[in-house]
């Protein structure tokens, strides 16, 4: 019996199958954690969603920015970007069922017994576990409510760029979502730089990788995706970067949460 945290699949279904074979996945005993971005850019988003949904309570998935983008496209009928590969998912016979399932996934997963948090992008320095879960619940409650489309209309944007407890309405929800699904570099006070995507040693002036700052959640093991440029390295003992760029021809990675053993497979998808 084991728990495996898996990096951004992004529709790379064949790579996921190869990874599960490598870890000798047992669907009767093992649990899979997915760090968000299940879909987009890769060729088989629909197959990936169907598979993970079909795992039921043997899988945990948090929402990533590409998952939220898919929800916004579906429910608000927005126009896809040129780089999106979501047409089959949006038009599938079971798309409504899949989108309903996806909309009910959390932003943050906490396993107290394993002393572990999984989130797509990260936890801002000034939030401990309790506060992160509380803020996550604010967004989850809204996007699972009858008014959820209102948020998807205004979800995109880089402002505000810093948390303030006085924030209200959609600005407040957008700020929370940007921390959990888009953050890479920030300041100690939590101000975000959402434009830079480089690796560890290429931070914009005045900003640092969020996990290298003094953090209130520092005693928790944190598993996150989103940041392929890190190539799986954080230089912080209890913070684990799961996105190793599978969709860009890199590798798909998993870590066994109990003993922190890594497993990786090369991308199986053909480059186009």
């Amino acid at each position: 019996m084991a728990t495996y945290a898996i990096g951004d699949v992004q529709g790379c279904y064949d790579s996921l199958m190869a990874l599960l074979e490598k870890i000798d996945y047992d669907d009767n005993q093992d649990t899979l954690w997915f760090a968000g971005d299940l879909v987009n850019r890769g060729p088989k988003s629909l197959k990936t969603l169907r598979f993970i949904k079909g795992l039921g309570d043997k899988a945990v998935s948090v929402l990533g920015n590409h998952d939220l983008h898919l929800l916004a496209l579906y429910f608000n009928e927005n126009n896809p970007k040129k780089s999106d590969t979501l047409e089959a998912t949006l038009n599938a016979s079971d798309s409504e069922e899949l989108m309903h399932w996806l909309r009910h996934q959390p932003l943050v997963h906490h396993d107290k017994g394993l002393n572990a948090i999984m989130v797509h992008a990260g936890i801002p320095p000034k939030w401990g576990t309790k506060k992160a879960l509380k803020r996550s619940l604010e967004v989850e409650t809204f996007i699972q409510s009858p008014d959820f489309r209102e948020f998807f209309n205004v979800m995109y944007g880089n402002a505000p760029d810093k948390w303030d407890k006085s924030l209200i309405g959609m600005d407040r929800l957008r700020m929370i979502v940007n921390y959990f699904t888009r953050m890479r570099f920030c300041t100690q006070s939590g101000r975000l730089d959402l434009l830079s995507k480089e690796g560890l040693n290429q931070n914009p002036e005045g900003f640092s990788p969020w996990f290298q700052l003094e953090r209130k959640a520092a005693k928790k093991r944190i598993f996150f995706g989103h940041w392929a440029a890190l190539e799986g390295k954080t230089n912080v003992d209890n913070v684990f970067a799961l996105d190793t760029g599978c969709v860009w021809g890199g590798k798909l990675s998993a870590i066994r949460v109990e003993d922190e053993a890594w497993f990786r497979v090369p991308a199986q998808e053909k480059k186009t």
Side-chain angles (χ1 to χ4, degrees):
M1 183 181 295
T3 306
Y4 296 93
I6 298 174
D8 305 31
V9 180
Q10 292 200 241
C12 296
Y13 176 83
D14 294 343
S15 296
L16 176 58
M17 293 301 105
L19 181 61
L20 295 186
E21 184 176 352
K22 180 160 188 173
I23 66 176
D24 196 20
Y25 170 62
D26 183 342
D27 60 1
N28 290 314
Q29 298 190 67
D30 299 334
T31 300
L32 303 179
W33 290 4
F34 292 93
D37 279 6
L38 305 180
V39 300
N40 210 11
R41 303 278 171 80
K44 296 182 180 178
S45 291
L46 178 58
K47 204 165 185 177
T48 301
L49 271 185
R50 285 173 172 165
F51 174 75
I52 295 173
K53 177 181 178 293
L55 293 172
D57 61 6
K58 301 305 294 180
V60 174
S61 181
V62 295
L63 290 167
N65 52 301
H66 282 283
D67 307 315
L68 290 167
H69 177 59
L70 171 59
L71 289 170
L73 291 177
Y74 181 80
F75 287 111
N76 287 359
E77 300 181 1
N78 294 338
N79 293 320
K81 301 175 183 177
K82 286 184 179 180
S83 57
D84 288 339
T85 59
L86 297 169
E87 185 176 353
T89 309
L90 292 167
N91 296 322
S93 59
D94 56 346
S95 59
E96 185 174 355
E97 181 183 346
L98 290 167
M99 296 307 107
H100 177 77
W101 171 80
L102 191 61
R103 187 165 62 91
H104 285 76
Q105 302 315 299
L107 283 165
V108 179
H109 173 65
H110 176 224
D111 189 310
K112 191 174 182 180
L114 290 171
N115 188 40
I117 296 173
M118 181 175 64
V119 62
H120 181 60
I123 305 291
K126 289 189 173 294
W127 291 358
T129 305
K130 227 181 243 190
K131 190 156 283 188
L133 290 170
K134 186 177 180 181
R135 299 298 178 234
S136 172
L137 185 60
E138 286 186 47
V139 177
E140 292 157 22
T141 299
F142 192 89
I143 66 174
Q144 293 169 22
S145 76
D147 300 321
F148 68 93
R149 286 180 176 82
E150 183 183 350
F151 175 66
F152 291 133
N153 271 328
V154 295
M155 177 180 71
Y156 302 98
N158 296 346
D161 65 357
K162 181 183 173 184
W163 176 255
D164 188 311
K165 63 183 180 181
S166 67
L167 285 171
I168 59 172
M170 296 301 110
D171 283 349
R172 183 181 179 93
L173 297 183
R174 190 187 309 108
M175 185 75 249
I176 296 169
V177 164
N178 282 346
Y179 274 141
F180 290 144
T181 70
R182 297 180 62 205
M183 177 172 63
R184 292 184 180 94
F185 296 104
C186 70
T187 65
Q188 186 64 56
S189 65
R191 188 175 302 281
L192 291 176
D193 179 323
L194 290 172
L195 300 178
S196 301
K197 299 182 179 181
E198 292 78 11
L200 279 183
N201 301 315
Q202 297 170 286
N203 47 297
E205 187 176 354
F207 292 82
S208 300
W210 64 267
F211 47 81
Q212 290 188 345
L213 295 164
E214 184 180 340
R215 296 177 293 111
K216 287 194 174 180
K219 292 183 179 180
K220 289 286 182 183
R221 294 190 299 160
I222 297 180
F223 300 83
F224 74 103
H226 185 59
W227 200 344
L230 294 176
E231 298 180 339
K233 301 179 183 71
T234 65
N235 297 334
V236 177
D237 288 342
N238 63 345
V239 180
F240 305 93
L242 300 170
D243 184 3
T244 44
C246 181
V247 77
W248 308 115
K251 296 179 180 180
L252 186 63
S253 295
I255 186 171
R256 192 162 53 216
V257 178
E258 286 81 1
D259 63 0
E260 300 172 7
W262 283 99
F263 304 84
R264 291 190 171 103
V265 295
Q268 304 295 299
E269 287 67 27
K270 292 181 181 179
K271 290 185 179 180
T272 55

